[in-house]
Amino acid sequence: MTATKTDAPVTSAGDGKPPVAGEPVGSARSERVSALVQQHGALAVLVVVSLVASFSFDSFATGDNVSNMATSSAFLAIVALGMTFVIITGGIDLSVGSLFALGGVLAAWGSQYGTLVALLLPLVVCGAIGVVNGLLVARSRLAPFIVTLAAMLGTRGLMLALTDEGANTYLIGKGSFLAELGQGTTFGLGNPVWITLALFVAGAVVLRRTRFGQHVYAVGGNEDAAALMGAPVARTKILVYTLSGVLAGLAGALNAAWLASGVTILGNGMELDAIAAVVIGGTLLTGGLGYVSGSLVGVLLLRVIQNVINQVGSLDSSYQQVVSGAFLAVVVIAQTWLGRRRQLM
């Protein structure tokens, strides 16, 4: 696999250059179209669904509704950002939902000692769990599914132990800087939204402009080839799982600041929502190809679908999971078909 300085690997037929000698023009054009569909298909669906909803429901496009959707999407988006790095390397992280809940509890508990402790504690603890996941996957060569499943169960147990089986709910004092960080607004949007946007810009820069980003794609594309090229395969895997843990803990801390408490029942199934958003956004589950921007679009698409179902009113909220699952199935089938088609070109 050849690493590039873009948000995703770019093929010779899709980088704006003329096709190489002997390559059919039609084949090159079809390959570019397939790449565009894979990268921007979710965005096109998001635009269409949003336009239809705007004309169908008077309250959909209002400022308050858009602001609420953006803020509620921010926490899942931060988790999905870390998941994007993991999946690009060909891995999976099932522990992020439990890490999200643990991060919220730790932030709420630490708020009694100041904002700095409340923010650093979940980052350090959740990041350490991410390091353990990475070490077991990279050094012990254990399956990511099994490693992170064990971490999910263990982290959930740790969170319940800290809260006496959920009997204790730690609160964040009103008027504190941490509460303002989660509940305050800037230019009409919640502070968590701006933090999320900043993180996604940083994530895109890392994948486009750094050697680490090149290594992430290389490891996911072909691990053996990446090792032969001198890429630090084990270190890259450890770093992406650490990043996933840190971002999940940060998302939990911001969510706790938003709710002014560390709620223990949150995070159940969040790992599946994050995976769905990342895959819907165009990242291959097999690794080697992915888009930070696509993951953000995937999160927004899932949130818009949920909001539309709520706007309908007559539909049960469980339909959101049905629609999300259908979208995921269609995207995976489309990715498989596009991948096989591009291999045949």
Side-chain angles (χ1 to χ4, degrees):
M1 172 178 175
T2 302
T4 65
K5 295 182 179 181
T6 61
D7 192 17
V10 181
T11 61
S12 60
D15 58 5
K17 298 179 182 179
V20 297
E23 181 182 9
V25 176
S27 176
R29 185 180 297 110
S30 297
E31 188 173 353
R32 285 196 295 269
V33 171
S34 297
L36 286 174
V37 169
Q38 187 167 27
Q39 183 174 1
H40 302 297
L43 178 60
V45 175
L46 174 63
V47 172
V48 171
V49 172
S50 299
L51 287 175
V52 172
S54 298
F55 287 108
S56 302
F57 307 103
D58 294 334
S59 60
F60 178 82
T62 61
D64 288 341
N65 190 53
V66 171
S67 178
N68 289 335
M69 282 195 296
T71 302
S72 60
S73 299
F75 313 112
L76 176 60
I78 294 174
V79 175
L81 176 60
M83 186 71 75
T84 304
F85 280 79
V86 173
I87 292 180
I88 290 176
T89 62
I92 202 76
D93 191 351
L94 299 179
S95 66
V96 291
S98 296
L99 290 172
F100 175 84
L102 177 62
V105 169
L106 291 175
W109 179 84
S111 64
Q112 61 185 312
Y113 302 105
T115 301
L116 186 61
V117 174
L119 290 177
L120 287 181
L121 186 60
L123 298 185
V124 172
V125 174
C126 294
I129 295 174
V131 171
V132 174
N133 286 341
L135 286 172
L136 291 175
V137 170
R139 299 298 186 186
S140 300
R141 296 186 177 276
L142 298 178
F145 181 90
I146 299 300
V147 170
T148 57
L149 177 62
M152 177 186 72
L153 299 175
T155 301
R156 182 69 62 174
L158 175 60
M159 183 270 296
L160 291 175
L162 291 174
T163 59
D164 191 19
E165 300 295 329
N168 297 329
T169 300
Y170 301 105
L171 303 178
I172 297 176
K174 295 182 178 180
S176 64
F177 178 78
L178 182 61
E180 177 64 22
L181 189 65
Q183 301 170 10
T185 60
T186 303
F187 301 115
L189 289 177
N191 291 333
V193 177
W194 296 110
I195 295 173
T196 300
L197 292 175
L199 290 173
F200 268 82
V201 170
V205 170
V206 168
L207 285 177
R208 290 178 178 179
R209 303 297 182 185
T210 67
R211 189 173 297 275
F212 170 68
Q214 296 176 353
H215 293 160
V216 169
Y217 284 119
V219 170
N222 190 315
E223 186 175 322
D224 294 333
L228 291 175
M229 292 190 315
V233 175
R235 185 175 67 187
T236 301
K237 289 185 177 182
I238 294 171
L239 287 175
V240 296
Y241 281 98
T242 302
L243 177 64
S244 181
V246 169
L247 290 176
L250 175 61
L254 290 176
N255 186 72
W258 186 48
L259 298 175
S261 63
V263 182
T264 58
I265 62 174
L266 297 178
N268 289 322
M270 177 173 267
E271 61 279 350
L272 302 181
D273 290 336
I275 294 170
V278 172
V279 175
I280 289 173
T283 298
L284 292 181
L285 273 173
T286 53
L289 181 71
Y291 315 94
V292 164
S293 57
S295 298
L296 181 58
V297 170
V299 170
L300 294 176
L301 180 56
L302 293 178
R303 189 63 63 192
V304 166
I305 292 171
Q306 182 182 32
N307 191 265
V308 168
I309 291 174
N310 293 336
Q311 295 278 348
V312 172
S314 60
L315 295 177
D316 188 86
S317 59
S318 60
Y319 279 94
Q320 190 265 337
Q321 297 179 348
V322 175
V323 176
S324 299
F327 262 105
L328 182 59
V330 171
V331 169
V332 171
I333 293 171
Q335 285 182 349
T336 303
W337 180 77
L338 289 172
R340 291 176 179 174
R341 184 181 179 187
R342 293 174 71 180
Q343 288 177 354
L344 295 175
M345 291 179 179

